[in-house]
Amino acid sequence: MVVTMMPAVAEERRAPRIVGVEFPFGHAFGVPHDRAMHRRVLELALRLLAGASEFGTRVDLDAEWPVPLRDAYRAWQPKEASPIVKKMLEARANATRS
């Protein structure tokens, strides 16, 4: 069982049961402190776990993040890139110039 923002990848990796959510990374169960949303995701996952008869069953949660995802992702990102991300961005920039 997996609750994920990347259900297509979970399908490729052959997860046995998949709950897809359209939330920012790190927030698979919703907005912090939103107990109602956490419970909604958990209950869907438990229903899928108890009721899915076939391997690879996928259910997508019908819920939206309360702010536009682009804004949510921007708010989640640190002001300065981590060393590994910085190195990856430099490598990409160098590859495009070549």
Side-chain angles (χ1 to χ4, degrees):
M1 163 64 72
V2 63
V3 176
T4 179
M5 289 69 61
M6 299 174 59
V9 173
E11 286 176 320
E12 286 176 9
R13 300 290 175 232
R14 299 183 37 83
R17 308 285 184 273
I18 303 160
V19 174
V21 295
E22 197 170 336
F23 297 154
F25 286 103
H27 300 286
F29 281 77
V31 178
H33 311 294
D34 183 347
R35 293 176 61 141
M37 178 58 74
H38 300 170
R39 183 177 195 93
R40 190 170 163 202
V41 175
L42 178 60
E43 287 176 350
L44 177 61
L46 292 173
R47 279 195 311 275
L48 178 62
L49 189 59
S53 59
E54 293 187 27
F55 183 89
T57 300
R58 171 181 165 180
V59 176
D60 293 326
L61 180 72
D62 184 24
E64 290 186 21
W65 197 253
V67 297
L69 284 180
R70 173 172 256 168
D71 296 341
Y73 286 126
R74 218 177 264 132
W76 174 75
Q77 294 294 322
K79 299 291 180 214
E80 186 177 318
S82 68
I84 193 161
V85 170
K86 190 181 234 179
K87 200 167 198 67
M88 290 170 61
L89 292 172
E90 289 169 358
R92 185 189 315 168
N94 291 336
T96 345
R97 283 186 224 135
S98 304

